Amino acid sequence: MADTEIAQTDKHSHELEVVDTGWQREPTDAPSARFGWHGESKTAMRVGGWISGLILLAMIIGNHKGHVEDIWLIAITALLWAILVRDLVLSRGKWRN
């Protein structure tokens, strides 16, 4: 049968055992700085955006009879590509990432 009482120990519950593992607390603004990651890959995101737009347009080909789905797919693709074009225009003249 399981014991219902809490076992008493010699250590106080508010004291933590400190073990030196070599790890340090990471800064909150760049938690992965120790691993060499300092930002996002803008090129990969741009390529992914263009490919996602093409996939959305490929979904127009299908067995649906109404055109409401087609309008939504085209509108979402146009919005996505407008954001990508805006990003390209605004990033002209800056250092490449």
Side-chain angles (χ1 to χ4, degrees):
M1 200 182 278
D3 190 14
T4 58
E5 293 186 23
I6 298 174
Q8 299 293 328
T9 62
D10 292 336
K11 295 183 181 181
H12 298 289
S13 62
H14 65 277
E15 293 180 5
L16 296 176
E17 184 178 341
V18 178
V19 179
D20 187 20
T21 60
W23 287 92
Q24 299 173 359
R25 181 174 292 270
E26 300 291 340
T28 56
D29 57 339
S32 56
R34 284 185 48 187
F35 303 108
W37 184 256
H38 297 289
E40 68 267 354
S41 174
K42 290 187 179 184
T43 304
M45 288 188 192
R46 289 175 183 152
V47 170
W50 290 106
I51 291 173
S52 297
L54 290 175
I55 291 171
L56 286 172
L57 289 179
M59 288 182 189
I60 292 175
I61 303 169
N63 60 354
H64 51 273
K65 296 185 184 227
H67 293 290
V68 175
E69 298 92 351
D70 296 343
I71 294 170
W72 275 101
L73 289 170
I74 293 169
I76 293 171
T77 303
L79 177 66
L80 176 65
W81 285 355
I83 292 170
L84 289 170
V85 168
R86 179 183 178 271
D87 181 50
L88 285 173
V89 169
L90 291 178
S91 67
R92 287 173 32 193
K94 295 182 180 179
W95 290 88
R96 292 193 75 192
N97 295 345

